[in-house]
Amino acid sequence: MLIWLIFALMTGAAVLAVLWPLSRAETAVAAETGDAAFFRQQMADLERDREAGLVSEREAEALRAEIGRRLLRAARGEGRSGPEGEPALRRRRAASAIALSTIPLLALAIYGAMGSPHLPQAPRAARMDGGQLDVGAAVAKIEAHLAQNPGDGRGWEVLAPVYLRAGRFGDAARAYQSALDILGESPARLTDLGEAVTAEAGGIVDARARAAFERALVLDPANAKARYYLAVATGQDGDNAKAIDMLRKLLADAPADASWRGAVEQRLAALSMSEGASAITSLPEGEQALAIRGMVEGLAARLDADGSDAAGWARLVRSYVVLGEEEKAREALAKARSQLAADPASLDMLAALARQLSLETDATGAPQ
């Protein structure tokens, strides 16, 4: 806290340097009093700044004219009413005193409320070069800060998602747990903890993660992240039908532009295919082929409506090959390449798939 008091004093000194000319008529113009003396001193200060190159000739001329007009008005006023300048001088001094005491305190209060005085400063290289912040160095500084201040819940909350993005899932879970313990429960903290624990477990929603998601739903029944992961957990428990229903309800409640719709739709498609495959195996042999064809046609229709699902295109191409319909497989492959033309990674995957399934041909029409 001492450093912020020092900054406040430095700010006060800067304000004093600016405001002091407004109230120094007695020292700068000892033989004169009132506004006229003030404006004469301002004229002298302007000439000094012009000679030092701080003010251009054009700016000096404009300022000189303005100060001159005010000086004439002040001189006329003093001639009419005698020592009228003294109240004005007192007002200027009072304004200076108020500004001197208020501005630094106000600035300090605003920074305390909106800034982050508890966090370490950015690395010197980042400040000097304006380049990218060294994330590793920043993390190390925050870790050092938290080692000295383990009760800083906000610090843990800042650090946790950095760990998560870096793949340090165990560290992320511990940081989220610390933030939760210090700052208290909230739906966001609980779901963040559950997500980190799930990532640490390799994508399995274990008992600890499930408890966090369930508690988040108690606090916020509409929480999308908790609903999603609990649907995933239900599917992992083997109840695909219930998981599919949970995901469909989540999509029905979701805004049309929700950034996570795609992930939910992909999970729903995977569960639906798994559920469909399980149901097909229980059908009589003659009906299995019809059921499989219906699933393939449904997948094709979905991809025609939204062709951004590279994994879906791969499943469709494979399905046509399994059904013995290689021409449709090639057509689907061509559509996929057209839809995913701006995605080099997906195009590479499709090329590898085509070679694997012998769908690529050379100039003679023979498989490559």
Side-chain angles (χ1 to χ4, degrees):
M1 188 62 187
L2 178 61
I3 187 67
W4 310 116
L5 295 177
I6 294 173
F7 287 161
L9 292 174
M10 292 172 65
T11 305
V15 173
L16 179 61
V18 174
L19 297 178
W20 178 249
L22 300 178
S23 59
R24 61 173 187 161
E26 290 177 46
T27 58
V29 286
E32 300 177 83
T33 61
D35 288 338
F38 170 76
F39 288 121
R40 288 191 182 94
Q41 181 61 39
Q42 288 293 293
M43 189 74 79
D45 291 343
L46 173 62
E47 291 302 317
R48 185 171 59 252
D49 290 345
R50 183 189 62 77
E51 291 171 1
L54 300 176
V55 179
S56 69
E57 283 293 338
R58 177 176 295 181
E59 292 170 336
E61 183 177 350
L63 291 170
R64 194 181 297 112
E66 177 62 21
I67 294 172
R69 283 193 295 270
R70 296 188 180 188
L71 176 58
L72 289 174
R73 285 198 301 269
R76 287 196 297 269
E78 288 178 5
R80 287 193 303 268
S81 56
E84 184 179 341
E86 185 62 21
L89 181 60
R90 286 198 296 271
R91 286 196 299 273
R92 287 195 299 273
R93 287 174 175 167
S96 300
I98 292 171
L100 181 62
S101 61
T102 302
I103 291 176
L105 294 177
L106 182 60
L108 185 60
I110 292 173
Y111 182 77
M114 302 184 68
S116 299
H118 61 282
L119 293 180
Q121 64 183 8
R124 184 174 185 272
R127 300 196 307 273
M128 297 298 292
D129 299 338
Q132 293 295 318
L133 179 66
D134 184 339
V135 175
V139 169
K141 284 182 175 290
I142 299 174
E143 288 173 333
H145 166 78
L146 290 171
Q148 298 296 321
N149 303 275
D152 182 359
R154 297 295 182 189
W156 290 114
E157 203 162 39
V158 167
L159 188 58
V162 179
Y163 281 151
L164 192 66
R165 286 191 293 271
R168 297 171 59 177
F169 303 131
D171 289 334
R174 285 186 285 275
Y176 278 127
Q177 185 66 65
S178 295
L180 193 63
D181 293 342
I182 296 167
L183 301 176
E185 288 186 343
S186 74
R189 292 187 190 112
L190 287 162
T191 54
D192 287 343
L193 172 62
E195 187 174 42
V197 171
T198 298
E200 185 181 15
I204 302 298
V205 183
D206 63 15
R208 182 186 176 196
R210 187 191 292 263
F213 293 128
E214 289 174 345
R215 177 60 183 163
L217 277 188
V218 171
L219 299 178
D220 177 14
N223 188 281
K225 185 186 290 188
R227 292 173 65 185
Y228 170 76
Y229 276 106
L230 287 174
V232 172
T234 300
Q236 290 171 351
D237 290 342
D239 194 347
N240 282 351
K242 184 177 179 181
I244 289 170
D245 182 63
M246 293 169 71
L247 291 175
R248 284 175 177 165
K249 289 179 179 177
L250 176 57
L251 286 174
D253 295 339
D257 59 349
S259 60
W260 42 264
R261 283 190 71 99
V264 177
E265 288 169 348
Q266 289 186 13
R267 173 68 65 168
L268 179 59
L271 283 173
S272 297
M273 290 196 68
S274 175
E275 182 70 4
S278 299
I280 287 172
T281 58
S282 64
L283 294 174
E285 185 173 346
E287 297 179 14
Q288 289 183 10
L290 291 175
I292 291 173
R293 185 171 297 280
M295 288 183 60
V296 173
E297 290 176 353
L299 176 60
R302 180 172 68 81
L303 291 171
D304 282 341
D306 179 8
S308 61
D309 182 3
W313 283 113
R315 288 198 302 273
L316 182 62
V317 171
R318 286 183 180 277
S319 298
Y320 281 136
V321 171
V322 169
L323 291 173
E325 299 179 350
E326 289 194 3
E327 189 59 34
K328 286 189 174 182
R330 289 191 176 91
E331 290 175 3
L333 184 61
K335 286 184 179 180
R337 285 171 167 164
S338 175
Q339 292 285 342
L340 302 169
D343 186 349
S346 294
L347 292 177
D348 290 343
M349 180 273 292
L350 291 171
L353 177 66
R355 289 192 297 271
Q356 179 186 5
L357 300 177
S358 301
L359 295 177
E360 299 283 24
T361 59
D362 58 20
T364 65
Q368 290 184 336

